[in-house]
Amino acid sequence: MGILSKKDSKLILDPLADNNPITIQVLGICSALAITAELKASIVMTISVLFVLGVGNVVVSLMRNIIPPKIRIIVQLVVVAALVIIVDQVLKAFAYELSKTLSVFVGLIITNCIIMGRFEAFALGNGPWKSFLDGIGNALGYGVILIIVGFFRELLGSGTLLGIQVLGDPIAKTGLYALGYENNGFMLLSPMALITVGIIIWVQRSRNKTLIEEN
Amino acid sequence: MNTEKNSYTVLFAIGMVAVVGSLLAFVAGSLKPNIEENERLEKQQNILYAMGINENGEDAGGVNFISTDKVSDEFSKFIKQQLVIQGDDVTEDDQAYLIDIKKEEALAKADDYERRLPLFIGEKDGSTFYIVPMRGKGLWDAIWGYIALNDEMVVQGAYFDHAGETPGLGANIKERFFMDDFIGEHVYDGTAFKGIEVAKGNADPLNKDKTDNEVDAIAGATITGNGVAAMIKKDLRMYLPYFNSLKK
């Protein structure tokens, strides 16, 4: 990475793997369970969090020296909520179709613990540029897991990817279904998202032993 | 600057509320005309969609409305009459589509209020469509929609939407694979009004039997599906006196 110093690129790359917010810090699990039944929803959520976390981290970082420590959590919440509401309103006025897709996610973005977590752990103690990179990195790390889980849940649960039937038609019995294959409806339910995340954690830790805790 | 002091904390909180509050009020206020216009056009698109005027492709693709620049013209072309039914009174009102169903529902809780029911009558290729708006509850939030019926009380088209159903599950009520199943379904079972059940594990997933008053449910979206069925039953029932009066 030519433009970014080694330290800066670490801020982006670390959360993608060895310090992933979902699989290592176990943050943002709730939304990872809720919306990964479909690949498209995972992608929309990733883009939304990318924006909110990137901008929010910068705003909180700029305000870090004037925020009263006693009410910092409230201030952070206000920043996220205001940001999300403004974006939602602007989209409603100028990109109505897109806002219809996103409206369901608004509540989920505000309550996403990764966002509060990064404000609290990073933006309050670092400058705006670093905070921006940290926000982007963590949002991408979150998004990667979301997309992997969404991919498997949609493929195995509905036999589709982004709404396109890739395994044939389950009702007309074409493609794979002609051989007796059935969609696993259980994949569409939230517990299977947790199990899928668990499998990712298992794979990740067996490949990188340093991630395994002592106890 | 000592940010630990109580006085500073209180002042900061007050300042923050004032700044963020006025910012949000300003944004909401200045965008309101645009948002209202978008919502108005969306209602027209939804009503036309229910009676089959849309830009959908032949195969089961996505939902494509008439584009916003054309929708006003198409709306006045195809919607021949807009009625407001209030008890036994039926009046014509070309703004009926702007009636806020949610507000009417709330007002109707008072005993002395007779609820206004909007009904849209469309005409296409010589057939008449009665388009009924409806509103109900899903799993998390409100759901609403429009159902177009012909004079035999057979569904000609449906459009559903929701405020916050689960993406990938309940949110799929606004996908074509669900909405298109309603086309051709009967809301009467013989002479008795039955509505349309959103049924789990029915023996007819291809939805070939149109007189069973059932469509196939979405896996993992039981409560949203039940909400759709309940909404159809509850809101369509209110229009029955009017439809019965047509038959006489």
Side-chain angles (χ1 to χ4, degrees), chain A residues 34-38 40-41 63 65-71 74-75 78 81-83 85-86 88-97 100-101 103-105 108 153 171-172 185 188-190, chain B residues 1 3-6 8-10 12-13 16 20 23-24 27-28 31 34-35 38-39 42 45-46 63 65 144 159 161-169 171-172 174-175 205-206 216 219-220:
Chain A
I35 54 124
T36 48
E38 252 179 6
K40 187 180 151 210
M63 288 167 58
N65 293 325
I66 59 164
I67 294 176
K70 282 177 196 155
I71 57 165
I74 300 172
V75 176
V78 170
L83 213 61
I85 292 168
I86 290 173
D88 187 50
Q89 292 281 313
V90 170
L91 286 178
K92 265 198 185 129
F94 300 111
Y96 195 72
E97 294 273 300
K100 296 281 289 182
T101 327
S103 63
V104 185
F105 296 88
L108 285 167
R153 282 182 75 190
I171 294 171
L188 294 174
L189 306 178
S190 305
Chain B
M1 189 163 43
T3 54
E4 287 280 357
K5 261 166 61 181
N6 280 346
Y8 176 79
T9 305
V10 171
F12 186 92
M16 178 181 71
V20 175
L23 179 71
L24 288 183
V27 171
L31 296 177
N34 288 41
I35 295 175
N38 283 337
E39 284 171 350
E42 189 199 8
Q45 286 177 323
N46 291 170
V63 170
F65 296 119
W144 59 90
Y159 180 76
D161 205 346
H162 61 92
E165 297 309 298
T166 319
L169 301 174
N172 283 346
K174 59 182 294 190
E175 294 297 328
L206 284 176
D216 199 22

Side-chain angles (χ1 to χ4, degrees), chain A residues 8 10-13 15-16 21 46-58 61 114-115 117-119 122-123 126-143:
Chain A
D8 283 352
K10 206 170 141 59
L11 283 175
I12 290 205
L13 296 178
L16 282 175
T46 304
I47 296 170
S48 317
V49 169
L50 197 62
F51 176 81
V52 174
L53 196 51
V55 179
N57 248 5
V58 172
S61 167
I114 292 180
I115 294 178
R118 292 329 291 170
F119 285 2
F122 198 90
N126 290 284
W129 173 240
K130 277 204 161 81
S131 301
F132 176 72
L133 295 177
D134 177 78
I136 300 291
N138 276 282
L140 288 176
Y142 166 77

